[in-house]
């Protein structure tokens, strides 16, 4: 994969490379990637980061039980493999340490403006003026937004929440001062976060209530430890490590990625079989029935866990399926009239996935407002470019394959594509480049058509769907993504 990142013609010595100023917004997984590669190639790169540490989602999320359910060896940059992962599914702190290490090793810290939130990006005199919350303004030739998707917490308003005498917080804003052992803990939600919280907290709490609005399909995935011998082998033989990565990639690409885009696929049938088999491990038929979803597996993002069903059967654990009516000083009152006494209430209620760079105001050519362009839903040609926003690119942007395959590989391929578009700036073929309206329309029509065959539209509500019920993800195959990202079709771009 790194070959693709490196394959474009410009290098540090190319004409003008140092004079092209690039603003990268965000220092999470995508921002570290963009910063590393731009810096390596000699671009004048500034990374704006509103927080005080790198790491994005792995910095923000610190909840008990946090781990990545994508195999760690595959969840690494192709140019910075890690032979030292301790287990197949790495815990959050190990992942945060990895991303911090890469940022340090690639010399990014001096380029990062910590504590500087970008609030406005405006096209002025053929450049982008970036304004931060502190009022600083600076001009750049290129902007690459790396602001993540699962970033802005979705915090529902429950009536009476302000009267709660315990502590309440969102899962991504964990309050580590709050004791959990021997306390009465409630978690709202049944997504991947809530499942990990259940496993971590059911045995620690004196009582653990999981407030479920919708049951989720849970797919098992074993989590093996790596021995010191295995790590030494990967260190000594990078090819062995690469083979392991390739195994994980093939399994995911030929399995899950193929399943989600084709409801009739044998891969989806197999996922459903595995989920049903897993559900059968719940001993009590009543509990099993309440945990059984009424929609197809993988319609919502699958919960991946070997331990969730064991945890929800723990003697301390209680699955609450009556709807939350309101919050009272002592706890949560549900529609069946029961008051669930609690000391701590965690909102594992997910994220606002339609935000991207927003709430920053982005004004393109002739004052075109990104908020208006995206008034129905955020869209971008091949997830990378929007008309009237020249030299403005997304990694992990709208319609990116977020629910399909490795987000890191996705971003690496997107960056390789963007770097090829920047080649024209370096060689002075053009000064600005953005997709044409026609090409975006064509892409979007095709994407929406393909969406009809995906599992995401088979009758569930999820964070994949926009206001019109159209999946905001990549609705094509992995092969198509690789092909599209290999080389830009320059006729789809307006150059000036
Ligand atoms: P999520 O999947 O969006 O789940 C949010 C949960 O909160 C859902 O069960 C939802 O119920 C519930 N909810 C929201 N508003 C509610 C309300 N007003 N009342 C009652 N329940 C409410 O969020 P998440 O679990 O944080 O996960 C988000 C994504 O992050 C995942 O899908 C995954 O891609 C990623 N993630 C990954 C890992 C990993 O290991 N790699 C770990 C955690 C998260 P409904 O289903 O009824 O809407």
């Amino acid at each position: 994969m790194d070959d693709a990142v490196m394959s474009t013609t410009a290098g540090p010595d190319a004409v003008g490379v140092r004079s092209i100023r690039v603003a990268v917004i965000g220092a999470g997984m995508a921002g570290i990637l963009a910063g590393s590669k731009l810096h390596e190639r000699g671009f004048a790169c500034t990374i704006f980061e509103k927080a005080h540490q790198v790491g994005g989602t792995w910095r923000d999320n610190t909840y008990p039980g946090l781990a990545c359910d994508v195999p760690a060896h595959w969840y690494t940059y192709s140019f910075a493999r890690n032979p030292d992962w301790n287990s197949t599914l790495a815990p959050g702190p190990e992942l945060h340490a990895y991303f911090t290490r890469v940022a340090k090793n690639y010399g990014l810290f001096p380029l990062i403006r910590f504590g500087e939130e970008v609030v406005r990006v405006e096209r002025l005199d053929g450049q982008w003026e970036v304004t931060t919350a502190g009022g600083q303004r600076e001009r750049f030739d290129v902007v690459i937004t790396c602001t993540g998707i699962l970033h802005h917490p979705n915090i529902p308003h429950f009536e009476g929440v302000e009267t709660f005498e315990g502590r309440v917080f969102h899962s991504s804003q964990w309050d580590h001062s709050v004791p959990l052992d021997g306390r009465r803990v409630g978690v709202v939600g049944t997504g991947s976060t809530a499942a990990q919280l259940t496993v971590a907290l059911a045995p620690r709490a004196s009582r653990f209530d999981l407030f479920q609005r919708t049951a989720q399909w849970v797919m098992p995935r074993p989590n093996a430890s790596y021995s010191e011998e295995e790590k030494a082998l990967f260190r000594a033989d990078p090819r062995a490590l690469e083979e392991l990565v390739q195994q994980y990639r093939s399994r995911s690409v030929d399995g899950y990625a193929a399943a989600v885009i084709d409801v009739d696929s044998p891969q989806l049938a197999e996922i459903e079989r595995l989920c049903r088999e897993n559900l059968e491990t719940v001993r009590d038929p009543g509990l099993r029935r309440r945990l059984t979803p009424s929609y197809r597996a993988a319609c919502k993002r699958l919960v991946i866990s070997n331990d969730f069903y064991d945890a929800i059967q723990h003697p301390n654990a209680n699955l609450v399926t009556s709807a939350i009516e309101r919050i009272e000083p002592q706890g949560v009152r549900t529609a069946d009239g029961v008051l669930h006494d609690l000391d701590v209430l965690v909102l594992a209620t997910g994220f606002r996935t339609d935000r991207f760079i927003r709430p920053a105001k982005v004004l393109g050519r002739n004052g075109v407002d990104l908020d208006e362009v995206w008034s129905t839903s955020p869209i971008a040609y091949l997830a990378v470019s929007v008309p009237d926003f020249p030299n403005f690119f997304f990694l992990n942007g709208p319609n990116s394959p977020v629910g399909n395959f490795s987000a890191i590989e996705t971003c690496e391929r997107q960056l390789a594509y963007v770097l090829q578009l920047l080649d024209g700036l370096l060689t002075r073929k053009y000064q600005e480049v953005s997709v044409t309206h026609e090409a975006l329309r064509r892409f979007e029509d095709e994407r929406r058509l393909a969406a009809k065959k995906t599992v995401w539209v088979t009758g569930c509500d999820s964070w994949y769907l926009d206001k019109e019920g159209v999946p905001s993800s990549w609705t094509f195959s992995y092969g198509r993504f690789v092909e599209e990202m290999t080389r830009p079709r320059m006729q789809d771009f307006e150059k000036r």
Side-chain angles (χ1 to χ4, degrees), residues 67 69 150 156 190-193 196 213-214 300-301 348-350 463:
D69 58 19
L150 299 157
T190 47
S192 308
T193 301
Q196 291 182 341
R213 185 165 69 178
T214 313
K300 284 173 182 285
R301 205 277 201 175
T349 44
W463 59 261

Side-chain angles (χ1 to χ4, degrees), residues 39 93 112 147 188 202 246 261 278 303 323 355 357 374-375 446 457:
H39 186 46
I112 303 176
T147 48
V188 181
Q246 185 50 38
I261 58 163
N278 196 26
V303 171
R355 299 286 81 199
I357 186 178
W374 285 357
S375 59
E446 223 190 314
V457 295

Side-chain angles (χ1 to χ4, degrees), residues 299-429:
C299 182
K300 284 173 182 285
R301 205 277 201 175
L302 280 178
V303 171
I304 308 225
S305 176
N306 252 19
D307 319 310
F308 172 71
Y309 287 139
D310 278 348
I312 198 66
Q313 294 176 88
H314 190 280
N316 299 345
N318 175 31
L319 180 75
V320 182
T321 48
S322 181
I324 296 173
E325 200 165 80
R326 61 177 180 274
I327 314 262
E328 298 183 4
Q330 301 310 313
V332 172
R333 177 82 62 183
T334 43
D336 55 7
V338 175
L339 175 67
H340 304 265
D341 286 312
L342 294 172
D343 300 306
V344 184
L345 180 62
V346 180
L347 306 176
T349 44
F351 299 88
R352 296 189 62 193
T353 52
D354 64 343
R355 299 286 81 199
F356 297 97
I357 186 178
R358 299 177 292 179
K361 181 57 95 187
V362 186
L363 299 172
R365 203 187 269 148
N366 304 322
V368 175
D369 188 335
L370 192 63
D371 257 330
E372 278 166 30
V373 177
W374 285 357
S375 59
T376 311
S377 62
I379 49 170
Y381 169 79
L382 295 175
V384 165
S385 174
V386 177
D388 298 321
F389 293 79
N391 301 352
F392 185 94
F393 306 105
F394 295 92
L395 299 190
N396 245 341
N399 318 137
S400 218
V402 60
N404 313 45
F405 30 85
S406 161
I408 298 190
E409 181 176 335
T410 293
C411 286
E412 287 197 26
R413 292 190 184 278
Q414 290 170 336
L415 181 67
Y417 184 92
V418 169
L419 288 173
Q420 292 182 69
L421 292 173
L422 295 190
D423 277 350
L425 264 68
L426 291 169
T427 53
R428 303 207 163 91
K429 271 198 206 137

Side-chain angles (χ1 to χ4, degrees), residues 57-58 61 63 65-70 75 89-90 95 150 154-158 170-172 188-196 211-216 295 300-304 323-324 347-353 402-403 461-464:
T57 200
W58 304 110
N61 286 278
Y63 61 79
L66 171 70
C68 183
D69 58 19
V70 177
Y75 194 74
L89 310 179
L95 286 155
L150 299 157
N154 169 47
I155 304 187
H157 179 72
F158 292 111
H170 187 268
S171 56
S172 69
V188 181
T190 47
S192 308
T193 301
Q196 291 182 341
F211 295 91
Q212 169 183 288
R213 185 165 69 178
T214 313
Q216 293 259 19
Y295 53 87
K300 284 173 182 285
R301 205 277 201 175
L302 280 178
V303 171
I304 308 225
I324 296 173
L347 306 176
T349 44
F351 299 88
R352 296 189 62 193
T353 52
V402 60
D461 188 16
S462 79
W463 59 261
Y464 291 129

